[in-house]
């Protein structure tokens, strides 16, 4: 199989990049070890948390670019795939977010009275209540829609094909090998998420040093158990965040609750006590949720890097690029990442300097103390 660009990993980052590169009419193949969008993207909450002033400073320009790109990104993907990705723009209610900074125009304080008017079922558990004008998507539907849209525009997605090694010739990358095939391409981009580090290169063993950071989550449905278009009005409409928990309503009636942050290797098991704790924390702020039924529990593996910032751009191996390590913000940062990495690959001018995210910052890095092989 021959392409202009081979992307390793069909999560939200790999698929968004494939989509962006197809807009530039490059021949794209995406090589995925399992099914598209079934790892971290499937587990994610889908909060587009661009107002969060606790976002690491280097991420702010990327978050701002994503906030600008998201409406059109969603509109085009929905139009091409025919799938609605449940973009919800009610906003986020945030409790006890330290001293309110409110430097964003899109954020304001709420009184307890205003809160009750917005969300009668939420307890004003503290005086420090803020409203952030953020959005959310259903990441599972988003990645399925992206895969469909990218394929519709001509991207080839080869799934069930773990990438085993990079092919190189005369000091530059020439493709990627799986057990069954060689995908020849002068450009390879590693979007392998928590698995990115497993594709080492002969010249540079650490261009994408990611590790899995486990997050356990659950989804509730009201006792009536109805989901789908006829579900009764959800218990909450806004995303709700406290220091202990976040609550993300979906339009089909599910209410997603997360999440733990655990260094547990490639372990995706959930445990009942942790799920109960998350459920209780959610019910502390929305008491009605105590009576809601647990519809699903799961855990996913966020791709953390040594400094938990993304790893983006060229590597020391000509033709080999990286777009991974998005840690807790992959869904939010997907459009900005796709836009900036596609421009880097195509040699177009960039609105933001990506050198802060270069893998070269790990040149002298000695390995994760907690990382273990699968
Ligand atoms: N972005 C949500 C999480 O990492 O839990």
């Amino acid at each position: 199989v021959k392409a202009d660009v081979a992307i390793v990993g069909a999560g939200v980052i790999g698929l968004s990049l494939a989509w962006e590169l197809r807009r530039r009419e490059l021949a794209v193949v995406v090589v995925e070890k399992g099914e598209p969008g079934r790892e971290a993207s499937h587990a994610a909450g889908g909060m587009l948390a661009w107002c969060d002033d606790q976002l690491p400073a280097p991420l702010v320009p990327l978050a701002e670019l994503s906030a600008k790109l998201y409406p059109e990104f969603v509109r085009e993907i929905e139009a091409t795939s025919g799938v609605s990705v449940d973009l919800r723009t009610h906003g986020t209610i945030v409790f006890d977010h330290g001293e309110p900074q409110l430097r964003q125009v899109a954020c304001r304080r709420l009184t307890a009275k205003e809160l009750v008017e917005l969300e009668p079922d939420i307890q004003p558990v503290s005086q420090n209540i803020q409203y952030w004008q953020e959005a959310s998507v259903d990441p599972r539907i988003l990645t399925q829609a992206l895969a469909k849209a990218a394929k519709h525009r001509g991207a080839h997605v080869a799934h069930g094909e773990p990438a085993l090694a990079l092919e190189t010739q005369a000091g530059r990358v020439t493709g990627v090998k799986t057990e069954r095939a060689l995908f020849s391409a002068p450009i390879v981009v590693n979007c392998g998420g928590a698995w990115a580090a497993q594709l080492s290169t002969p010249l540079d063993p650490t261009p994408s040093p990611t590790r899995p950071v486990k997050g356990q989550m659950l989804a509730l449905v009201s006792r009536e158990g109805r989901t789908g278009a006829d579900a009764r009005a959800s218990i909450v409409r806004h995303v709700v965040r406290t220091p202990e928990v976040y609550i993300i309503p979906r339009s089909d009636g599910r209410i997603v609750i997360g999440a733990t942050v655990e260094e547990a290797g490639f372990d995706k098991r959930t445990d009942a006590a942790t799920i109960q704790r998350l459920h209780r924390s959610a019910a502390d702020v929305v008491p009605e949720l105590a009576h809601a039924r647990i519809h699903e529990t799961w855990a996913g593996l966020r791709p953390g890097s040594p400094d938990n910032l993304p790893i983006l751009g060229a590597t020391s191996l000509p033709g080999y690029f990286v777009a991974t390590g998005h840690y807790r913000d992959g869904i939010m940062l997907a459009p900005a990442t796709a836009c900036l990495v596609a421009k880097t690959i195509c040699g177009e001018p960039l609105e933001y300097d990506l050198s802060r995210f270069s893998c070269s910052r790990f040149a002298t890095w000695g390995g994760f103390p907690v990382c273990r092989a699968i």
Side-chain angles (χ1 to χ4, degrees), residues 15 24 29 41 54 84 86 103 108 112 130 139 141 178-179 197 214 245-246 257 263 275 281 284 294 306 310 324 358:
L15 290 170
R24 290 165 168 79
V29 61
S41 308
Q54 286 174 3
S84 161
D86 199 20
R103 58 179 161 78
R108 62 187 163 90
Q130 301 176 29
I141 308 181
T178 70
E179 216 159 74
K214 176 174 171 178
V245 76
Y246 54 76
I257 294 171
E263 302 284 349
I275 295 294
S281 298
D284 285 344
I294 297 183
T324 190
S358 165

Side-chain angles (χ1 to χ4, degrees), residues 47 246 259 302 328:
M47 287 181 292
Y246 54 76
R302 307 175 182 93
R328 306 193 69 168

Side-chain angles (χ1 to χ4, degrees), residues 218 245 257 273-286:
L218 67 153
V245 76
I257 294 171
T274 303
I275 295 294
Q276 270 170 23
R277 181 176 58 72
L278 286 168
H279 190 174
R280 266 200 311 274
S281 298
D284 285 344
V285 62
V286 186

